[in-house]
Amino acid sequence: DLNDPDTYALLGRGLTTGVFQFGSEGMQRLLRRLQPTTMEDLIAVVALYRPGPLQSGMVEDFIKRKHGEAETEYPHSAFETILRPTYGVIVYQEQIMRIVNTIAGFSMAEALTMIKAISKKKQSVIDKATEDFIEGATRNGIDRDTAVNIYSLISHFAGYGFNKAHTSAYAFVAFRTAYLKAHYPTEFMAANLSCEMGDTDKVVVLMEDCRRLGIEVLPPEVNESSLGFSVVRDGVIRFGLGAVKNVGTKAAESVIEERQQNGPYRSVFDFCER
């Protein structure tokens, strides 16, 4: 359910360690400020969390407009339908392409060529595109000064625009992993710990996240631990033998295999002997 309130609550609290695309501290801060409530918000977050948009003030505008702290403004009435999902902020390449198509009558392919030329600073192509854009806009009833201003805006955002098809796929996977963390936190954290058990630093970070979530991580136990981290019961994870430093996978597997074949270890002497 892409409208699941529990998932958005988790995202809004920034409890996203281990969540695809949303796990960094910077992204967690952004999510806490934004308080996303829709998939459109998440798609925009993925596109905006880059040096250009962060430094340009686009992210600040997006957050303030979402929360009603700043008025959502559109450079031209024709932009409203295109920019409404992003609160009047130009975030995606597809939005720029649609604006160029609507204002100046460019085909979508021509619009994409223009965007690429601007972002790569191909001056000869830019000069030709500028003339064609202003000519097309005036032909569609827009006065020259307004057309020039719109083109200037497009030129500014062309370097920041991100491909929405790309960011949508990322946001969808991010939402699905956040959904799992929101509804199956013990299993989610056990799986993450098992994936990262070869990296002690990452294990420490994930175990700290378990504490924040109220999940207990029990120490390794030769009669209960699996190779990886395992769910003992809801809210309780058992440390994996394979994550114990200097034990190694082969040794851990042999301990587990012997236990499975001949029963629990009765003492440290029994363990050593077997």
Side-chain angles (χ1 to χ4, degrees):
D1 179 6
L2 296 179
N3 297 310
D4 179 62
D6 293 334
T7 303
Y8 287 108
L10 178 134
L11 291 166
R13 291 166 64 198
L15 296 175
T16 51
T17 299
V19 174
F20 179 71
Q21 286 289 304
F22 292 164
S24 70
E25 290 184 11
M27 181 62 89
Q28 289 172 4
R29 288 194 296 270
L30 176 54
L31 289 167
R32 283 193 289 268
R33 292 185 61 211
L34 178 64
Q35 293 295 306
T37 52
T38 66
M39 179 56 70
E40 280 288 351
D41 286 346
L42 298 184
I43 293 169
V45 165
V46 176
L48 288 169
Y49 191 69
R50 295 178 296 123
L54 286 168
Q55 293 165 10
S56 70
M58 290 168 62
V59 176
E60 291 299 317
D61 288 343
F62 189 92
I63 292 172
K64 287 179 180 178
R65 292 179 183 188
K66 174 176 172 59
H67 295 305
E69 296 169 3
E71 186 178 349
T72 297
E73 299 174 343
Y74 301 99
H76 189 277
S77 59
F79 288 23
E80 184 170 352
T81 302
I82 300 167
L83 299 182
R84 190 182 298 122
T86 52
Y87 312 103
V89 179
I90 299 175
V91 177
Y92 311 117
Q93 286 181 353
E94 289 89 338
Q95 288 175 315
I96 300 172
M97 290 164 63
R98 181 58 65 189
I99 289 167
V100 173
N101 169 261
T102 302
I103 298 294
F106 281 37
S107 70
M108 297 299 272
E110 289 170 336
L112 181 59
T113 299
M114 187 187 86
I115 292 168
K116 287 181 176 178
I118 293 170
S119 62
K120 293 178 180 178
K121 297 180 172 57
K122 293 184 177 179
Q123 198 57 48
S124 60
V125 181
I126 292 172
D127 292 342
K128 176 70 166 59
T130 304
E131 294 172 11
D132 291 346
F133 179 87
I134 294 171
E135 182 183 328
T138 52
R139 193 166 54 244
N140 286 335
I142 296 171
D143 66 83
R144 183 177 178 83
D145 287 344
T146 301
V148 170
N149 288 336
I150 291 172
Y151 185 80
S152 175
L153 187 71
I154 289 167
S155 298
H156 174 73
F157 281 99
Y160 299 129
F162 202 70
N163 183 292
K164 188 179 182 182
H166 182 101
T167 190
S168 295
Y170 272 37
F172 180 68
V173 175
F175 182 89
R176 292 185 75 174
T177 52
Y179 180 94
L180 291 173
K181 187 170 186 179
H183 291 274
Y184 307 98
T186 312
E187 291 81 359
F188 181 87
M189 294 308 298
N192 268 274
L193 283 160
S194 294
C195 286
E196 303 292 356
M197 65 182 187
D199 188 325
T200 304
D201 291 340
K202 289 184 178 179
V203 168
V204 169
V205 170
L206 289 167
M207 288 183 67
E208 179 59 35
D209 196 45
C210 285
R211 280 189 279 274
R212 280 195 292 270
L213 295 168
I215 297 170
E216 184 180 6
V217 181
L218 300 174
E221 217 283 352
V222 293
N223 280 329
E224 187 173 56
S225 290
S226 301
L227 180 64
F229 290 75
S230 56
V231 176
V232 177
R233 57 186 178 276
D234 191 35
V236 182
I237 294 171
R238 176 66 75 179
F239 202 97
L241 292 181
V244 179
K245 256 193 161 184
N246 300 320
V247 171
T249 301
K250 291 294 183 184
E253 286 175 341
S254 70
V255 169
I256 295 164
E257 184 180 357
E258 170 62 26
R259 183 183 76 207
Q260 289 172 340
Q261 289 178 357
N262 299 305
Y265 300 102
R266 295 182 295 277
S267 67
V268 66
F269 302 105
D270 180 51
F271 174 81
C272 291
E273 185 176 69
R274 289 164 61 183

